[in-house]
């Protein structure tokens, strides 16, 4: 989107750590709601270049069908669809096959195909709203062993990097299965926009319409929103109307 501004440091963090040493291919981005995390994630392909193939997974829709095989089937389907958009085609294992031998089918068949078609590229699996999976565990839809298995995948797939995205609830999790998963990850906090990016968000989209903000008005907008992207956009939309 031409209306996206800022987050360069976060893009650099992902690009620098998502590939290379195995212990550095698990990243966690944490931020409050309405800080533009999802918008940022959808810009990754533009900012990271062709060496990465981002795949966006929404934790709110994962694990709705009980059992690990159903979760893995959802993930494999989304990965295959994202690859197909780039003319990279891999067969998706059936749910029946995953129910018979979930981990074998996913790792030895599906992910082997994925790594073959990727070539020198890295698959960047982004799990947004990841803490929602804990709700699936609490409700009995998923077994807690899903977290150790995800850790196993992270440590044994060379061309796949993982980015987990969530709110500050992730840091408050104390269950053993969370610590098993996240004690090997790198963290970065996602805050509000810095002053420069916030000013650009306010002023640049309206320059072609010869609209100029008074300095006092601009400073007031920054003061009342503190660079919070959601409120900045609401305020700018109201001003343009």
């Amino acid at each position: 989107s031409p209306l996206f501004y800022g987050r360069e440091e976060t893009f650099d963090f992902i690009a620098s750590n998502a590939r290379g040493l195995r212990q550095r291919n698990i990243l966690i981005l944490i931020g409050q709601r309405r800080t533009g995390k999802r918008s940022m994630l959808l810009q990754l392909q533009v900012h990271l270049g062709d060496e990465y193939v981002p795949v966006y997974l929404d934790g709110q829709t994962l694990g709705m069908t009980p059992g690990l095989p159903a979760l893995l089937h959802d993930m494999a389907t989304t990965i295959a669809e994202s690859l197909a958009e780039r003319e990279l085609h891999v067969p998706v294992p059936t749910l029946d096959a995953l129910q018979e031998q979930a981990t074998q089918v996913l790792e030895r068949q599906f992910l082997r195909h994925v790594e073959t078609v990727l070539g020198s590229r890295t698959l960047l699996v982004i799990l947004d709203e990841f803490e929602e999976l804990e709700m699936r565990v609490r409700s009995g839809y998923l077994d807690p062993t899903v977290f150790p298995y995800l850790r196993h995948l992270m440590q044994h797939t060379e061309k796949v990097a993982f980015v987990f995205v969530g709110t500050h609830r992730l840091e408050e999790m104390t269950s053993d299965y969370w610590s098993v998963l996240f004690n090997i990850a790198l963290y970065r906090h996602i805050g509000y926009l810095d002053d420069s990016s916030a000013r650009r968000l306010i002023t640049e989209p309206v320059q072609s319409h010869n609209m100029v903000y008074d300095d006092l008005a601009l400073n007031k907008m920054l003061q009342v929103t503190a660079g919070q992207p959601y409120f900045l956009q609401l305020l700018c939309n109201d001003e343009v109307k």
Side-chain angles (χ1 to χ4, degrees):
S1 170
L3 299 181
F4 184 88
Y5 296 93
R7 308 304 189 192
E8 286 81 6
E9 292 183 356
T10 301
F11 292 132
D12 290 342
F13 169 79
I14 296 174
S16 299
N17 296 293
R19 64 188 302 176
L21 299 175
R22 283 192 177 185
Q23 64 266 32
R24 292 199 170 191
N25 72 344
I26 305 168
L27 310 179
I28 296 178
L29 306 179
I30 297 177
Q32 298 178 5
R33 296 192 181 278
R34 300 295 189 179
T35 53
K37 296 191 299 296
R38 183 168 300 185
S39 297
M40 179 195 67
L41 297 175
L42 297 177
Q43 297 291 319
L44 281 174
Q45 185 66 77
V46 176
H47 289 267
L48 298 184
D50 294 334
E51 61 184 306
Y52 292 95
V53 180
V55 176
Y56 179 85
L57 300 173
D58 188 350
Q60 292 183 328
T61 61
L62 288 176
M64 297 300 291
T65 302
L68 178 63
L71 173 67
L72 298 181
H73 185 263
D74 289 344
M75 293 176 63
T77 300
T78 304
I79 290 172
E81 291 174 348
S82 296
L83 291 174
E85 293 176 357
R86 297 164 175 81
E87 300 299 325
L88 304 173
H89 301 285
V90 293
V92 179
T94 65
L95 182 57
D96 289 340
L98 287 168
Q99 287 175 335
E100 291 181 6
Q101 292 182 312
T103 60
Q104 297 292 329
V105 170
L106 185 80
E107 294 179 52
R108 296 187 179 181
Q109 297 180 26
F110 178 72
L111 289 180
R112 293 271 179 89
H113 282 294
V114 170
E115 290 180 350
T116 299
V117 301
L118 281 173
S120 62
R121 288 164 290 197
T122 297
L123 186 72
L124 194 64
V125 179
I126 306 157
L127 290 95
D128 195 12
E129 302 282 354
F130 185 68
E131 60 265 44
E132 291 295 323
L133 288 187
E134 186 193 35
M135 302 303 296
R136 309 288 188 268
V137 172
R138 289 185 176 182
S139 63
Y141 275 60
L142 287 174
D143 189 273
T145 55
V146 64
F147 297 102
Y149 179 64
L150 286 177
R151 172 171 171 158
H152 166 78
L153 281 182
M154 297 170 200
Q155 294 180 310
H156 295 87
T157 49
E158 296 183 2
K159 295 183 180 180
V160 183
F162 291 82
V163 179
F164 296 98
V165 186
T167 66
H168 291 280
R169 283 181 54 205
L170 281 178
E171 293 183 305
E172 298 168 359
M173 303 297 183
T174 57
S175 300
D176 290 340
Y177 46 78
W178 284 104
S179 61
V180 163
L181 184 61
F182 289 153
N183 63 6
I184 55 175
L186 296 177
Y187 287 75
R188 182 172 181 84
H189 287 264
I190 307 299
Y192 297 159
L193 292 177
D194 58 62
D195 185 78
S196 175
S197 299
R199 289 177 183 273
R200 291 175 57 211
L201 174 61
I202 297 171
T203 59
E204 291 187 8
V206 297
Q207 286 179 351
S208 60
H209 300 283
N210 297 318
M211 181 176 176
V212 179
Y213 285 94
D214 179 270
D215 287 342
L216 291 177
L218 181 59
N219 291 335
K220 187 65 174 179
M221 293 172 71
L222 294 172
Q223 179 183 1
V224 299
T225 62
Q228 212 276 12
Y230 177 71
F231 292 122
L232 263 178
Q233 292 177 352
L234 284 180
L235 186 57
C236 290
N237 183 65
D238 187 65
E239 292 294 331
V240 173
K241 285 182 179 180

